[in-house]
CSV table of all heavy atoms in Angstrom, one decimal:
chain,number,residue,atom,x,y,z
A,1,MET,N,0.8,-1.2,0.0
A,1,MET,CA,0.0,0.0,0.0
A,1,MET,C,0.9,1.2,0.0
A,1,MET,O,1.9,1.3,0.7
A,1,MET,CB,-0.9,0.1,1.2
A,1,MET,CG,-2.1,-0.9,1.1
A,1,MET,SD,-3.2,-0.7,2.5
A,1,MET,CE,-4.7,-1.2,1.8
A,2,GLY,N,0.5,2.3,-0.7
A,2,GLY,CA,1.2,3.5,-0.8
A,2,GLY,C,0.7,4.6,0.0
A,2,GLY,O,-0.4,4.5,0.7
A,5,GLU,N,-2.9,6.1,-0.3
A,5,GLU,CA,-4.2,5.3,0.1
A,5,GLU,C,-4.7,5.8,1.4
A,5,GLU,O,-4.6,5.2,2.4
A,5,GLU,CB,-3.8,3.8,0.1
A,5,GLU,CG,-3.2,3.3,-1.1
A,5,GLU,CD,-3.7,2.0,-1.5
A,5,GLU,OE1,-4.9,1.7,-1.3
A,5,GLU,OE2,-2.9,1.2,-2.1
A,6,PHE,N,-5.3,7.0,1.2
A,6,PHE,CA,-5.9,7.7,2.3
A,6,PHE,C,-7.4,7.8,2.2
A,6,PHE,O,-7.9,8.2,1.1
A,6,PHE,CB,-5.3,9.2,2.4
A,6,PHE,CG,-5.9,10.0,3.5
A,6,PHE,CD1,-5.6,9.7,4.8
A,6,PHE,CD2,-6.5,11.2,3.2
A,6,PHE,CE1,-6.0,10.5,5.8
A,6,PHE,CE2,-7.0,12.0,4.2
A,6,PHE,CZ,-6.7,11.7,5.5
A,7,VAL,N,-8.1,7.1,3.1
A,7,VAL,CA,-9.6,7.0,3.1
A,7,VAL,C,-10.2,7.9,4.1
A,7,VAL,O,-9.8,7.9,5.3
A,7,VAL,CB,-10.0,5.5,3.2
A,7,VAL,CG1,-11.5,5.4,3.3
A,7,VAL,CG2,-9.4,4.6,2.2
A,9,ARG,N,-14.0,8.6,5.9
A,9,ARG,CA,-15.3,8.1,6.1
A,9,ARG,C,-15.9,8.6,7.4
A,9,ARG,O,-15.2,9.2,8.2
A,9,ARG,CB,-15.3,6.6,6.0
A,9,ARG,CG,-14.5,5.9,7.1
A,9,ARG,CD,-14.8,4.4,7.3
A,9,ARG,NE,-13.9,3.7,8.1
A,9,ARG,CZ,-13.9,3.8,9.5
A,9,ARG,NH1,-14.9,4.5,10.1
A,9,ARG,NH2,-13.1,3.1,10.2
A,15,GLU,N,-15.4,5.2,17.6
A,15,GLU,CA,-14.2,6.0,17.1
A,15,GLU,C,-14.3,7.4,17.5
A,15,GLU,O,-13.2,8.1,17.3
A,15,GLU,CB,-14.2,5.8,15.5
A,15,GLU,CG,-13.8,4.4,15.1
A,15,GLU,CD,-13.8,4.3,13.5
A,15,GLU,OE1,-14.6,4.9,12.9
A,15,GLU,OE2,-12.9,3.5,13.0
A,18,ILE,N,-11.7,8.4,19.7
A,18,ILE,CA,-10.3,8.8,19.2
A,18,ILE,C,-10.2,10.3,19.1
A,18,ILE,O,-9.2,10.9,19.6
A,18,ILE,CB,-10.1,8.1,17.8
A,18,ILE,CG1,-10.1,6.6,17.9
A,18,ILE,CG2,-8.8,8.7,17.2
A,18,ILE,CD1,-10.0,5.9,16.5
A,48,ILE,N,-13.3,10.6,9.9
A,48,ILE,CA,-11.9,10.1,10.2
A,48,ILE,C,-11.1,9.8,9.0
A,48,ILE,O,-11.7,9.3,8.0
A,48,ILE,CB,-12.1,8.8,11.1
A,48,ILE,CG1,-10.7,8.4,11.7
A,48,ILE,CG2,-12.7,7.6,10.4
A,48,ILE,CD1,-10.8,7.3,12.8
A,49,GLY,N,-9.9,10.1,8.9
A,49,GLY,CA,-9.1,9.8,7.8
A,49,GLY,C,-8.1,8.7,8.2
A,49,GLY,O,-7.3,8.8,9.2
A,50,LEU,N,-8.0,7.7,7.4
A,50,LEU,CA,-7.1,6.5,7.7
A,50,LEU,C,-6.2,6.4,6.5
A,50,LEU,O,-6.5,6.4,5.4
A,50,LEU,CB,-8.0,5.3,7.8
A,50,LEU,CG,-9.1,5.3,8.9
A,50,LEU,CD1,-10.4,5.4,8.2
A,50,LEU,CD2,-8.9,4.0,9.7
A,51,LEU,N,-4.9,6.3,6.9
A,51,LEU,CA,-3.8,6.0,6.0
A,51,LEU,C,-3.3,4.5,6.2
A,51,LEU,O,-2.8,4.2,7.3
A,51,LEU,CB,-2.7,7.0,6.3
A,51,LEU,CG,-1.5,6.8,5.3
A,51,LEU,CD1,-1.8,7.2,3.8
A,51,LEU,CD2,-0.4,7.7,5.8
A,52,ASN,N,-3.6,3.7,5.3
A,52,ASN,CA,-3.2,2.3,5.4
A,52,ASN,C,-3.9,1.7,6.7
A,52,ASN,O,-3.4,1.0,7.4
A,52,ASN,CB,-1.8,2.0,5.4
A,52,ASN,CG,-1.1,2.5,4.2
A,52,ASN,OD1,-1.7,2.6,3.1
A,52,ASN,ND2,0.2,2.8,4.3
A,53,ASN,N,-5.2,2.1,6.9
A,53,ASN,CA,-6.1,1.7,8.0
A,53,ASN,C,-5.7,2.3,9.3
A,53,ASN,O,-6.3,1.9,10.3
A,53,ASN,CB,-6.1,0.1,8.1
A,53,ASN,CG,-6.9,-0.4,6.9
A,53,ASN,OD1,-7.9,0.1,6.4
A,53,ASN,ND2,-6.4,-1.5,6.4
A,54,GLU,N,-4.7,3.2,9.3
A,54,GLU,CA,-4.3,3.8,10.6
A,54,GLU,C,-5.0,5.1,10.7
A,54,GLU,O,-4.9,6.0,9.8
A,54,GLU,CB,-2.8,4.1,10.6
A,54,GLU,CG,-2.3,4.8,11.9
A,54,GLU,CD,-0.9,5.3,11.8
A,54,GLU,OE1,-0.2,5.0,10.8
A,54,GLU,OE2,-0.5,6.0,12.7
A,55,PRO,N,-5.7,5.4,11.8
A,55,PRO,CA,-6.4,6.8,11.9
A,55,PRO,C,-5.3,7.8,12.1
A,55,PRO,O,-4.4,7.7,13.0
A,55,PRO,CB,-7.1,6.6,13.2
A,55,PRO,CG,-7.3,5.1,13.5
A,55,PRO,CD,-6.0,4.5,12.9
A,56,ILE,N,-5.3,8.8,11.2
A,56,ILE,CA,-4.3,9.9,11.3
A,56,ILE,C,-4.9,11.3,11.3
A,56,ILE,O,-4.2,12.2,11.6
A,56,ILE,CB,-3.3,9.8,10.2
A,56,ILE,CG1,-3.9,10.1,8.8
A,56,ILE,CG2,-2.5,8.5,10.1
A,56,ILE,CD1,-2.9,10.4,7.7
Side-chain angles (χ1 to χ4, degrees):
M1 285 185 152
E5 303 222 37
F6 181 60
V7 176
R9 61 164 171 80
E15 290 174 327
I18 295 173
I48 189 167
L50 302 108
L51 183 64
N52 300 336
N53 292 319
E54 177 191 355
I56 68 163

